């Protein structure tokens, strides 16, 4: 066959020349030569059938091992040659000079290109060698338990080229790859195909000991290390140079780039690892710094409602473990801070107002409350928006926001009162401009605030007071709106919470029926008709927030007393066993007053009527002193002052006070103002209806609430013990807290006191053996 | 399935659209067999490689393939098996069968090896 060239392989001369050996040598010479031709890309002159048959014969004659080893040697030899002649000359200049002379890594790129060609040649050749040695693969390799010839080729390539012992190919390869990637990170254009070819090569080669790819054993770790270092430096640089939104955009871009890079020319297995590195170096390490950036961090973003930036931050920080926690706590702190500011403006306003409270303009109290609620609502709106637009309605964030709101709302001890006042304001003011839908939506929002209140029982008390005033003075927008509100409260707190409120409505309805009946009764009766129209509302005392025992005394004019008597007879005649108590402080009256200019119809409170009627008996110009009025009318002092104030110091001055001034003081003299003029025929004298309570009243309300809590706590304890019969102290406390927390947060000391009280009254006893266990005594 | 096998056998007789010419045997015993590359390639890894771009020899648009070390009548049986998946071993003598087995082993047509060994 080949006369041009002697076989180069180390083929041992036959020891015992016989026909089989001769046959073997002949076969092998042909094959070795053919493989060389294949390496020279001269395969077209070869005959597949013949070579196959040669290999077949060798294996058939038990020379498979020789064939296999021979092939290995030929290939190794070839690869050694390739290394020397092609790969080594292509080494990029190493050291610092390379980066200077080849700033674009051209040398490296060229090296990769050569390597790519070498690799491609090798694989093509190996495919052909595999073809002709197919029989060996199938028959010999399997039984001898050696790798198939193609895999053998890969292993040889790995050991002779990629991890060559003789030449620093491996170092150069890794260095060049990393350099190329670095260049690309710095926005240079690199030839990705060459890089990809090398990476694919490394991926196809298997490390003998770990059975992992050479990519994983040799390249990946180095790559990750370098990346880690690269991003550590970049992170520090970026944090120093850019503001938060800009920084996050950069990080976002880096993450995308790395993902792209992996997709284009690295292994998918690297994706999570490099992502972790970028996340760690660019996000985790700088979390706090970015959040706290002075003019661009999280708080300024919130302040300026930068939804895009917030959204980006949410997405980016969500990638790392602590990210969302840090964000949450930062936002919560911010909410608390804002909430604190709102609380502070309110308190500073109320104290400022407290100074001139006595001067009468108590309306500001209500405005403060309304403003407080409105500000809280605005804040809530703002964060709802953030939640919606930037945080994809993340539940965890919602919870922490809610906690923050709850925290500062409950910091303001007046919040239950304020919220109730706010509702009061809306249900009254509905008449003034707002549509019913608007009011409804405002109330809906208010309910969300109500949810945050810890002391729901305090709220209930205020709400009852305000509702009572609205109902009795006929000042609510509509029954529908009121019922709607109660419905909402019912949804929030259940049936128990609203029964009394509903009871109040019922009383109103029944009373109006009663009044119709009363009128009929008067028409039919032979009794002397009262000189005035009396309208009575009968209230169930337990539903309404009135204090029966402290029922305010007041000397009513005889006509009124008589009319009341008539009604009382009528009412008690229909319902036996009931007791009527007159609440004269809640009533209103229409009276006609003659002034010099004209007659006016005055709508006044009962007390004001009583005061004005006193002047009926007086001569013009005759005055009454404060003490006289007080003595004659017997109106409680606080009420008297307030009513005198509204008569003498408010918009319509029916009375003239001497000396003039806004305060009512003992010793003041009052005159009927004959010169009073007003454009309207009918005048409503405003008594200040709803307002922030004064300190004293607040204390009283507190006490009432505390009293109510005692009862509720005892009731809860008894309920639980009746059910369980016997229970351990801590468990009992926990259960009581659980039952009551929808209304208020009972403190354990209170519960403990109540338990003691119940033991004293022999509802419970301590167990004889264990003093921490209680038994229920039926 | 039987019908498919019959029709495929007809393909071999008609040599319609044949694109492979196989010269089997040596010297005076040589015989020319016509076949279809697609069928050979799909049925045998050996032919798949032999008729691939890298190795094939073409003349007038037809693959030329030489198989000197197999007897023509045996190869005929093999190619029939390749086409219709059946073989009648009854007509062969013992030594002949051994030769056939050797040839089939060289071509690595595993199903046929199993079949003959079973026989």
């Amino acid at each position: 066959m080949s006369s041009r060239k002697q076989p180069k392989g180390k083929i041992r001369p036959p020891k015992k020349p016989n026909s089989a050996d001769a046959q073997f040598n002949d076969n092998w010479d042909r094959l070795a030569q053919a493989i060389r031709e294949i390496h020279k890309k001269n395969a077209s002159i070869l005959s597949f059938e013949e070579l196959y048959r040669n290999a077949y014969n060798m294996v058939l004659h038990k020379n498979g091992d020789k064939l296999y080893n021979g092939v290995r040697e030929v290939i190794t030899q070839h690869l050694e040659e390739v290394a020397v002649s092609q790969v080594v000359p292509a080494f990029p200049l190493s050291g610092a000079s390379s980066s200077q002379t080849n700033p674009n890594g051209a040398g490296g790129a060229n090296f990769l290109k050569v390597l790519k060609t070498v690799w491609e040649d090798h694989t093509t050749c190996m495919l052909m060698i595999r073809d002709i040695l197919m029989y060996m693969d199938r028959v010999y390799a399997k039984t001898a338990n050696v790798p198939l010839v193609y895999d053998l080729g890969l292993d040889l390539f790995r050991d002779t080229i990629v991890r060559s012992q003789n030449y620093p190919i491996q170092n150069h390869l890794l260095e060049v790859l990393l350099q190329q990637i670095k260049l690309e990170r710095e926005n240079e254009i690199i030839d990705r195909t060459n890089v990809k070819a090398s990476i694919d090569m490394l991926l196809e080669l298997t490390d003998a000991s770990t059975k992992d790819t050479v990519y994983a054993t040799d390249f990946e770790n180095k790559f990750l290390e370098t990346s880690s270092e690269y991003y550590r430096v970049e992170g520090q640089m970026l944090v120093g140079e850019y503001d938060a939104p800009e920084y996050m955009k950069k990080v976002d871009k880096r993450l995308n780039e790395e993902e792209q890079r992996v997709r284009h020319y690295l292994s998918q297995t690297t994706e999570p690892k490099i992502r972790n590195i970028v996340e760690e170096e660019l996000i985790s390490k700088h979390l706090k710094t970015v959040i706290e950036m002075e003019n661009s961090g999280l708080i300024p973003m919130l302040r300026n409602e930068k939804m895009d930036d917030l959204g980006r931050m949410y997405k980016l920080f969500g990638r790392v473990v602590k990210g969302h926690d840090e964000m949450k706590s930062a936002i919560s702190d911010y909410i608390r801070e804002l909430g604190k500011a709102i609380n502070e403006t309110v308190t500073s306003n109320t104290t400022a107002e407290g100074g001139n409270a006595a001067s009468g303009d108590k309306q500001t109290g209500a405005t403060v409350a309304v403003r407080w609620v409105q500000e809280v609502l605005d804040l809530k709106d703002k964060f709802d928006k953030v939640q919606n637009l930037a945080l994809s309605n993340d539940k965890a964030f919602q919870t922490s926001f809610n906690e923050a709101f709850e925290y500062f709302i409950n910091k303001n001890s007046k919040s239950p009162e304020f919220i109730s006042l706010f509702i009061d304001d809306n249900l009254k003011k509905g008449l003034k401009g707002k549509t019913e839908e608007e009011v409804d939506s405002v109330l809906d929002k208010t309910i969300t605030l109500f949810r945050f209140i810890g002391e729901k029982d305090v709220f209930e008390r205020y709400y009852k007071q305000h509702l009572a005033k609205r109902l009795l003075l006929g000042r609510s927008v509509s029954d529908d709106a009121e019922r709607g509100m109660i419905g909402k409260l019912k949804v929030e707190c259940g049936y128990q919470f609203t029964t009394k409120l509903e009871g109040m409505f019922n009383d109103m309805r029944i009373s109006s029926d009663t009044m119709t009946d009363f009128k009929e009764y008067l028409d039919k009766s032979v009794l002397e008709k009262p000189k005035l129209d009396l309208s009575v509302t009968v209230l169930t005392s337990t539903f309404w927030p009135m204090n029966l025992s402290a029922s305010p005394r007041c000397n009513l004019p005889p006509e009124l007393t008589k009319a009341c008597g008539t009604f009382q007879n009528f009412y008690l005649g229909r319902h036996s066993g009931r007791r009527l108590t007159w609440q004269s402080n809640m009533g209103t009256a229409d009276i006609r007053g003659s002034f010099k200019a004209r007659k006016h119809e005055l709508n006044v409170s009962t007390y004001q009527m009583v005061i004005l009627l006193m002047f009926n008996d007086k001569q013009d110009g005759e005055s009454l002193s404060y003490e006289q009025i007080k003595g004659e009318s017997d109106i409680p002092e606080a009420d008297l002052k307030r009513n005198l104030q509204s008569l003498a110091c408010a918009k319509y001055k029916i009375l003239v006070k001497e000396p003039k001034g806004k305060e009512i003081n003992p010793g003041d003299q009052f005159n009927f103002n004959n010169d009073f003029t007003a454009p309207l025929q009918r005048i409503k004298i405003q008594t200040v209806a709803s307002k922030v309570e004064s300190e004293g009243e607040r204390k009283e309300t507190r006490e009432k609430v505390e009293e109510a809590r005692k009862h509720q706590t005892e009731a809860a304890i008894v309920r639980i013990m009746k059910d369980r019969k016997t229970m351990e102290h801590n468990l009992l406390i926990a259960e009581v807290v659980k039952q009551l927390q929808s209304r208020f947060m009972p403190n354990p000391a209170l519960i403990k006191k109540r338990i003691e009280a119940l033991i004293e009254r022999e509802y419970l006893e301590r167990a004889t053996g264990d003093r921490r266990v209680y038994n229920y005594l039926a | 399935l039987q019908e498919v096998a019959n029709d495929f056998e007809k393909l071999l007789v008609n040599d319609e659209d044949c694109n492979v010419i196989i010269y089997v045997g040596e010297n005076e015993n040589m015989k020319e067999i016509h076949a279809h590359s697609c069928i050979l390639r799909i049925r045998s890894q050996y032919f798949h490689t032999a008729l691939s771009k890298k190795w094939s020899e073409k003349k007038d648009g037809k693959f030329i393939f030489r198989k000197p070390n197999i007897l023509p009548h045996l190869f005929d049986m093999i190619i029939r098996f390749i086409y219709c998946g059946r073989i009648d071993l009854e007509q062969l003598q013992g030594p002949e069968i051994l030769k056939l087995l050797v040839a089939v082993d060289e071509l690595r047509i595993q199903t046929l090896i199993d079949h003959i060994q079973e026989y």
Side-chain angles (χ1 to χ4, degrees):
Chain A
M1 49 171 289
S2 168
S3 54
R4 291 170 297 175
K5 211 167 185 177
Q6 284 300 306
K8 272 186 177 173
K10 297 178 197 164
I11 288 138
R12 288 173 205 88
K15 287 167 195 162
K16 269 190 251 167
N18 55 31
S19 71
D21 275 353
Q23 173 81 30
F24 165 78
N25 281 338
D26 185 40
N27 281 335
W28 169 242
D29 286 349
R30 281 160 187 270
L31 275 174
Q33 190 54 35
I35 292 173
R36 279 183 209 104
E37 293 300 330
I38 289 171
H39 280 143
K40 278 190 251 161
K41 301 179 190 171
N42 276 336
S44 55
I45 61 163
L46 301 170
S47 158
F48 168 73
E49 194 278 334
E50 193 189 319
L51 296 171
Y52 180 89
R53 188 149 37 87
N54 275 326
Y56 164 71
N57 279 331
M58 286 177 75
V59 174
L60 206 61
H61 294 107
K62 307 277 183 250
N63 287 320
D65 53 338
K66 289 181 192 160
L67 171 63
Y68 193 88
N69 292 331
V71 168
R72 185 211 302 275
E73 271 166 35
V74 175
I75 296 173
T76 313
Q77 205 168 24
H78 169 71
L79 289 176
E80 289 284 358
E81 272 171 38
V82 168
V84 180
S85 66
Q86 296 185 51
V87 183
V88 173
F91 280 170
L93 297 170
S94 58
S97 63
S98 79
S99 53
Q100 279 163 13
T101 52
N102 284 327
N104 298 328
N110 185 53
F111 174 68
L112 292 182
K113 212 165 174 177
V114 168
L115 212 55
K116 179 180 168 220
T117 324
V118 168
W119 167 249
E120 277 167 2
D121 286 350
H122 178 69
T123 44
T124 324
C125 292
M126 283 317 298
L127 285 174
M128 297 185 82
I129 294 170
R130 180 183 67 180
D131 284 347
I132 55 175
L133 298 178
M134 197 194 312
Y135 194 83
M136 180 186 81
D137 264 353
R138 299 232 174 144
V139 177
Y140 169 75
K142 228 174 252 171
T143 49
N145 202 16
V146 291
L148 297 182
V149 72
Y150 185 79
D151 297 335
L152 171 72
L154 293 181
D155 291 348
L156 292 176
F157 190 85
R158 176 193 69 211
D159 295 336
T160 0
I161 305 276
V162 175
R163 290 176 174 177
S164 168
Q165 300 290 319
N166 306 331
Y167 315 103
I169 300 177
Q170 188 181 19
N171 285 347
H172 280 288
L173 175 58
L174 297 181
E175 209 169 274
V176 166
L177 284 174
L178 296 174
Q179 185 205 9
Q180 293 282 307
I181 290 172
K182 187 171 175 226
L183 284 173
E184 196 183 44
R185 280 185 181 140
E186 278 157 10
N187 293 323
E188 304 270 355
I189 308 287
I190 61 162
D191 189 348
R192 286 181 165 187
T193 44
N194 286 335
V195 180
K196 181 170 171 43
S198 298
I199 298 287
D200 285 348
M201 175 182 84
L202 295 178
L203 276 170
E204 243 177 280
L205 299 177
T206 310
D207 183 75
S209 54
T210 58
K211 298 291 168 220
D212 216 342
T213 62
V214 173
Y215 171 86
T217 51
D218 293 8
F219 174 73
E220 198 177 39
N221 283 338
K222 280 229 161 68
F223 168 68
L224 295 177
E225 267 168 40
T226 345
S227 304
S228 201
E229 181 56 34
Y230 182 82
Y231 283 117
R232 182 174 313 131
V233 173
E234 171 158 299
Q236 275 154 9
M237 196 264 294
L238 289 179
V239 151
E241 263 174 41
Y242 293 98
D243 61 5
E246 214 40 54
Y247 179 81
M248 289 189 304
K249 275 181 204 154
K250 295 266 182 221
V251 175
D252 212 15
K253 190 167 151 249
R254 280 304 191 197
L255 282 164
N256 276 333
E257 277 174 13
E258 290 301 331
E259 200 214 313
Q260 292 285 330
R261 185 177 342 279
V262 169
R263 182 142 14 106
H264 282 293
Y265 57 80
L266 298 180
S267 158
Q268 283 307 315
T269 51
T270 311
E271 210 270 331
K273 300 179 191 161
I274 182 70
R275 199 178 56 217
N276 279 343
I277 285 179
V278 182
E279 285 165 357
E280 166 71 22
E281 294 298 336
L282 294 187
I283 304 178
S284 297
K285 289 206 172 162
H286 302 293
L287 265 185
K288 283 221 156 158
T289 329
V290 174
I291 286 178
E292 287 164 6
M293 278 193 180
E294 201 147 322
N295 293 313
S296 61
L298 181 55
I299 305 304
M301 282 179 202
L302 289 171
R303 193 182 309 129
N304 304 322
E305 308 204 348
K306 299 262 191 233
M307 295 304 174
D308 286 350
D309 293 336
L310 284 169
R312 188 171 294 116
M313 184 179 268
Y314 173 77
K315 268 206 328 246
L316 280 182
F317 286 14
R319 289 163 165 271
V320 300
V321 192
K322 286 260 170 195
H324 278 174
D325 292 346
E326 291 284 353
M327 266 183 95
K328 264 191 305 202
S329 70
I331 300 182
S332 296
D333 288 350
Y334 182 55
I335 295 178
R336 275 164 216 230
E337 203 180 293
L338 291 178
K340 203 173 140 207
I342 295 177
N343 284 345
E344 272 166 9
T345 47
V346 168
T347 38
S348 70
N349 271 343
T350 40
T351 46
E353 182 248 351
N356 56 11
S359 69
D361 196 10
K362 288 207 173 173
Q363 206 57 35
T364 45
T367 2
V368 164
V370 170
R371 210 179 58 224
W372 182 83
V373 175
Q374 193 56 55
E375 275 175 29
V376 175
L377 277 181
D378 289 348
L379 192 65
K380 177 96 176 91
D381 269 354
K382 180 184 170 120
F383 282 94
D384 281 348
K385 209 162 99 193
V386 170
Q387 169 76 351
N388 233 323
L389 296 178
L391 306 179
S392 29
N393 285 320
D394 190 308
K395 286 268 188 304
F397 275 83
Q398 187 65 64
T399 326
S400 88
F401 289 5
N402 286 351
E403 276 165 12
F405 272 97
E406 209 172 311
Y407 171 80
F408 83 77
I409 287 177
N410 287 311
K411 271 272 160 182
N412 180 0
S413 59
K414 293 178 192 164
S415 53
E417 185 186 357
F418 282 0
I419 291 172
S420 176
L421 271 172
F422 181 80
I423 297 171
D424 184 56
D425 190 59
N426 271 288
L427 287 175
K428 279 192 319 208
K429 285 213 175 123
L431 295 162
K432 299 176 189 169
K434 280 188 203 164
T435 65
E436 238 171 84
E437 285 81 31
E438 277 167 356
V439 172
D440 197 58
S441 82
V442 170
L443 294 180
D444 266 336
K445 285 183 193 160
T446 319
I447 284 288
T448 62
L449 296 191
F450 166 72
R451 246 172 248 158
F452 294 136
I453 300 182
E455 302 177 302
K456 295 197 168 56
D457 54 343
V458 179
F459 172 84
E460 186 191 355
R461 180 159 287 276
Y462 283 113
Y463 191 82
K464 260 157 75 176
Q465 270 171 19
H466 295 144
L467 175 64
K469 281 183 184 152
R470 284 201 298 279
L471 290 177
L472 293 178
L473 303 175
R475 296 175 78 177
S476 63
V477 194
S478 69
D479 273 12
D480 283 350
E482 291 284 0
R483 277 176 205 283
M485 191 64 210
I486 289 176
K488 292 191 217 309
L489 291 173
K490 195 175 190 172
V491 171
E492 282 306 313
C493 297
Y495 174 71
Q496 251 192 332
F497 195 82
T498 54
T499 29
K500 290 187 177 172
L501 303 178
E502 277 166 359
M504 290 163 76
F505 271 101
N506 268 339
D507 279 351
M508 291 307 285
R509 213 188 54 236
I510 292 168
S511 291
S512 88
D513 292 350
T514 314
M515 277 329 289
T516 332
D517 293 349
F518 180 58
K519 291 234 164 65
E520 265 173 44
Y521 164 83
L522 281 182
D523 285 345
K524 282 179 199 156
S525 83
V526 289
L527 285 169
E528 184 196 349
K529 297 214 169 70
K531 288 185 187 136
L532 46 107
D533 283 337
L534 180 69
S535 172
V536 181
T537 319
V538 182
L539 313 174
T540 313
S541 57
T542 47
F543 293 160
W544 295 71
M546 281 143 213
N547 201 334
L548 275 189
S549 52
S551 163
R553 304 141 299 150
C554 164
N555 292 334
L556 294 174
E559 294 93 338
L560 194 54
T561 323
K562 202 167 163 197
C564 289
T566 317
F567 177 79
Q568 202 154 349
N569 287 338
F570 160 76
Y571 189 81
L572 294 179
R574 304 182 120 212
H575 308 275
S576 55
R578 294 196 186 176
R579 196 161 67 91
L580 281 179
T581 313
W582 295 93
Q583 300 278 345
S584 45
N585 58 336
M586 307 297 283
T588 60
D590 287 343
I591 51 174
R592 211 163 280 145
S594 319
F595 302 95
K596 266 185 193 158
R598 60 192 282 198
K599 289 191 172 185
H600 285 285
E601 206 168 283
L602 305 174
N603 177 266
V604 297
S605 72
T606 315
Y607 285 150
Q608 285 161 0
M609 175 193 73
V610 171
I611 296 166
L612 289 176
L613 287 180
M614 284 179 204
F615 288 94
N616 266 354
D617 311 332
K618 305 296 166 208
Q619 300 295 315
D620 270 2
E622 196 178 337
S623 65
L624 288 170
S625 70
Y626 173 80
E627 283 75 15
Q628 272 174 306
I629 297 176
K630 186 173 178 325
E632 232 169 283
S633 64
D634 208 12
I635 299 172
E637 200 164 335
D639 286 327
L640 178 64
K641 275 191 179 174
R642 197 187 303 155
N643 282 298
L644 280 171
Q645 229 170 18
S646 28
L647 284 171
C649 312
K651 193 174 164 196
Y652 302 111
K653 295 192 170 54
I654 315 289
L655 297 178
V656 181
K657 184 171 84 81
E658 204 61 51
K660 293 201 186 313
K662 287 223 154 186
E663 306 282 335
I664 304 290
N665 291 312
D668 286 356
Q669 294 285 322
F670 297 91
N671 258 323
F672 184 70
N673 183 5
N674 252 329
D675 304 325
F676 177 78
T677 53
L680 293 169
Q681 161 79 20
R682 204 183 135 83
I683 297 167
K684 188 173 166 78
I685 308 290
Q686 293 279 356
T687 342
V688 186
S690 50
K691 66 207 167 296
V692 180
E693 290 182 310
S694 66
E695 271 321 305
E697 287 170 304
R698 174 162 297 115
K699 211 170 146 199
E700 196 179 321
T701 312
R702 271 279 140 197
E703 276 164 14
K704 282 181 195 159
V705 168
E706 290 303 330
E707 197 55 40
R709 282 182 184 179
K710 279 185 198 166
H711 292 306
Q712 285 175 10
T713 314
E714 284 185 2
I717 296 170
V718 170
R719 223 172 17 247
I720 294 162
M721 290 306 292
K722 197 169 181 180
D723 190 37
R724 306 282 178 94
K725 300 296 180 225
T726 171
M727 213 171 175
E728 205 262 325
H729 177 77
N730 288 340
L731 290 176
L732 177 59
I733 298 238
E735 189 64 24
V736 171
V737 169
K738 206 173 113 198
Q739 286 205 5
L740 292 176
Q741 67 190 3
S742 73
R743 300 177 56 80
F744 63 96
M745 229 19 210
N747 77 39
L750 170 76
I751 301 175
K752 213 167 161 229
K753 259 195 191 145
R754 290 301 103 204
I755 294 175
E756 310 277 347
L758 287 169
I759 291 173
E760 231 163 74
R761 279 180 278 156
E762 301 191 330
Y763 280 96
L764 306 176
E765 64 169 13
R766 288 186 199 278
T768 36
D770 188 347
R771 295 207 27 98
R772 284 176 307 148
V773 174
Y774 304 111
N775 294 330
Y776 180 71
L777 301 173
Chain B
L1 211 66
Q2 189 63 40
E3 201 183 315
V4 177
N6 287 342
D7 287 349
F8 269 70
E9 194 164 15
K10 274 179 215 155
L11 269 182
L12 205 51
V13 182
N14 287 343
D15 48 85
E16 226 172 280
D17 287 335
C18 280
N19 59 353
V20 185
I21 301 170
I22 306 173
Y23 297 97
V24 195
E26 276 178 300
N27 305 327
E28 67 276 10
N29 273 332
M30 193 168 77
K31 194 182 162 193
E32 189 177 321
I33 290 177
H34 293 222
H36 304 81
S37 66
C38 50
I39 293 179
L40 294 180
R41 289 172 59 168
I42 210 78
R43 292 281 286 162
S44 144
Q45 181 64 40
Y46 175 84
F47 281 114
H48 184 88
T49 314
L51 300 180
S52 73
K53 247 187 189 157
K54 282 174 287 183
W55 295 108
S56 58
E57 180 189 348
K58 267 195 173 182
K59 210 188 215 170
D60 302 336
K62 295 191 176 186
F63 292 103
I64 306 295
F65 191 72
R66 287 164 218 278
K67 197 65 199 146
N69 63 337
I70 297 180
L71 292 173
H73 72 280
L74 293 180
F75 193 81
D76 198 55
M77 289 180 77
I78 295 171
I79 205 149
R80 255 166 225 283
F81 178 84
I82 288 178
Y83 268 70
C84 33
R86 60 185 176 215
I87 196 160
D88 184 11
L89 298 174
E90 299 287 337
Q91 49 176 295
L92 292 178
Q93 305 292 315
E96 293 262 74
I97 288 184
L98 209 61
K99 276 186 195 161
L100 179 69
L101 183 59
V102 171
V104 170
D105 179 56
E106 187 189 338
L107 303 183
R108 301 301 305 166
I109 305 170
Q110 196 57 45
T111 45
L112 190 49
I113 298 176
D114 296 345
H115 186 72
I116 297 170
Q117 277 170 342
E118 238 169 75
Y119 180 77

